[in-house]
């Protein structure tokens, strides 16, 4: 975000992420997927350290995959997605998170639900995810730095999770926070950002069927550097809206504070819509480089999801509300 563009050659993911890091957590997804498919589940998944590499079964593939992606939107490979990251809690360089998050233990994990809702409280990761069917959503993902990827996320619709907490009628926004634990997240030992990382969505954005709580990619539990154990994915917005390693979800009546709009208000607004007609103050947003490609491609309004989401912003001046 504050970082300068890298050369194309820097962006090509050549680091191999150690697979052993993911093996233990892969087992959870497998069990959760079975639970989601409606089959009997005899208790919570065990997080035994299994070495065997197993692909997930029972992940429902959704229509979004087929309809929203064109023939030129091939998913980036696992190693690229998991070795070219923005996760300032583990360093500001693209290669820092894969190196610095390798010992992070995301489980057990608890999320605090609060604010204007009927059922506030603390909920464990498994209880949050288990009642829902896991879906694979292959989405375009665009960073405000003007690079993009295509990622096969695994997750649940955020709306399904939120509805369980019975949002009140005056809840107009949802605010999210990342874990703050400088012992486990070394990047938080310095004042690079105003920790913890914060994001927010308007309620209709949060409830939109495209918005997911992601828990995996490529049928495996999220790698630490991609925001384990759960993160937001809002595919029509700039990537920085997709907050990682979420520990707090609050329903609010007022516009929530967000990390990037607090840190550089003239550069990053609350709406963060992918909008090729509104330049970032320091660079154009009209094109992007798909990681792994040499030539730039045109950036599409709302990251190509215009048909699905434009109505959310009807009547708004997106040049002012950027
Ligand atoms: N969430 C937290 N907690 N900390 C971060 O630094 N970076 C954001 C977003 N979520 C970030 C975060 C930015 S700028 C981007 S582009 C995406 O995560 C990157 O997600 P990825 O590393 O999975 O590609």
């Amino acid at each position: 975000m504050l970082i300068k563009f890298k050369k194309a050659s820097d962006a090509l993911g050549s680091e191999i992420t150690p697979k052993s890091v993911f093996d233990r957590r892969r087992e959870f997804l497998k069990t959760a997927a079975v639970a989601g498919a409606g089959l009997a589940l005899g208790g919570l998944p065990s997080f035994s350290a299994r070495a065997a590499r197993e692909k997930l079964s029972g992940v429902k593939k959704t229509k979004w995959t087929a309809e929203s992606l064109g023939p030129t939107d091939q998913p980036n490979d696992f190693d690229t997605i998991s070795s070219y990251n923005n996760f300032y809690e583990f360093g500001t360089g693209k290669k820092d998170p894969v190196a610095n998050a390798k010992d992070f233990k995301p489980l057990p994990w608890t999320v605090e639900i609060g604010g204007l809702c009927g059922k506030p409280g603390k909920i464990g990761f498994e209880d949050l995810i288990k009642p829902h069917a896991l879906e694979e959503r292959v989405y375009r993902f665009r960073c405000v730095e003007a690079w993009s990827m295509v990622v096969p996320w695994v997750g649940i619709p955020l709306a399904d999770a939120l509805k369980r907490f019975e949002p009140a009628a005056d809840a107009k926004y949802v605010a999210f926070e990342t874990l703050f634990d400088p012992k486990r997240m070394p990047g938080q030992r310095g004042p690079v950002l105003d920790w913890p990382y914060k994001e927010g969505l308007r309620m209709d954005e949060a409830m939109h069927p495209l918005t997911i709580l992601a828990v995996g990619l490529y049928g495996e539990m999220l790698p630490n550097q991609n925001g384990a154990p759960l993160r937001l994915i809002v595919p029509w917005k700039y990537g920085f809206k997709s907050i990682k390693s979420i520990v707090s979800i609050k329903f609010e009546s007022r516009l929530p504070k967000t990390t990037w709009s607090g840190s550089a208000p003239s550069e990053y607004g609350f709406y963060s819509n992918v909008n090729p007609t509104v330049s970032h103050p320091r660079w154009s947003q009209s094109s992007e480089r798909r990681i792994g490609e040499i030539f730039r491609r045109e950036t599409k309004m709302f990251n190509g999801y215009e048909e699905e989401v434009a109505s959310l912003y009807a009547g708004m001046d997106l040049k002012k509300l950027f």
Side-chain angles (χ1 to χ4, degrees), residues 1 85-89 143 178 197 226 231 239 242 244:
M1 306 287 296
N85 301 102
N86 273 335
F87 199 174
Y88 278 31
E89 285 82 344
C143 181
T178 293
Y197 193 103
N226 290 91
R231 68 175 295 175
S242 297
K244 297 177 169 181

Side-chain angles (χ1 to χ4, degrees), residues 38-240:
L39 302 176
L41 178 72
L44 291 177
S46 67
F47 298 101
S48 57
R50 285 177 57 126
R53 181 144 190 241
E54 290 174 88
K55 274 282 162 203
L56 276 173
S57 57
V59 177
K60 199 173 92 189
K61 301 214 176 195
T62 60
K63 62 180 181 168
W64 304 110
T65 303
E67 286 179 7
S68 320
L69 297 172
T72 59
D73 283 321
Q74 290 306 312
N76 285 88
D77 62 58
F78 181 93
D79 292 324
T80 303
I81 297 166
S82 58
S83 65
Y84 186 85
N85 301 102
N86 273 335
F87 199 174
Y88 278 31
E89 285 82 344
F90 293 101
T92 55
K94 296 285 179 286
K95 301 281 176 194
D96 291 343
V98 65
N100 298 336
K102 66 178 184 311
D103 296 327
F104 181 76
K105 291 195 176 39
L107 298 175
W109 193 264
T110 304
V111 180
E112 179 148 20
I113 312 290
L116 304 166
C117 66
K119 291 193 170 164
K122 292 189 173 174
I123 185 164
F125 173 68
E126 291 86 346
D127 292 334
L128 182 59
I129 301 302
K130 208 174 63 176
H132 306 279
L134 290 176
E135 298 177 12
E136 180 175 88
R137 304 283 189 97
V138 186
Y139 284 157
R140 277 181 296 268
F141 187 79
R142 189 190 189 280
C143 181
V144 70
E145 295 162 334
W147 52 265
S148 64
M149 294 200 202
V150 174
V151 183
W153 303 106
V154 176
I156 61 170
L158 178 65
D160 292 354
L162 294 184
K163 280 177 201 155
R164 285 167 57 199
F165 306 110
E166 300 173 0
D170 51 346
K172 304 285 182 236
Y173 301 93
V174 191
F176 302 85
E177 281 182 19
T178 293
L179 175 71
F180 178 66
D181 187 345
K183 283 198 186 114
R184 296 163 72 197
M185 295 182 147
Q188 292 177 333
R189 292 174 206 157
V192 183
L193 290 176
D194 182 18
W195 312 112
Y197 193 103
K198 299 177 193 62
E199 254 313 332
L201 292 174
R202 216 171 53 190
M203 191 58 103
D204 56 351
E205 297 175 318
M207 293 297 188
H208 193 279
L210 280 177
T211 308
I212 58 168
L213 263 185
V215 297
L217 63 86
Y218 268 113
E220 301 185 0
M221 187 92 180
L222 278 178
N224 290 338
Q225 59 274 26
N226 290 91
L230 81 161
R231 68 175 295 175
L232 203 62
I233 298 294
V234 194
W236 67 95
K237 302 235 158 194
Y238 290 121
F240 65 89

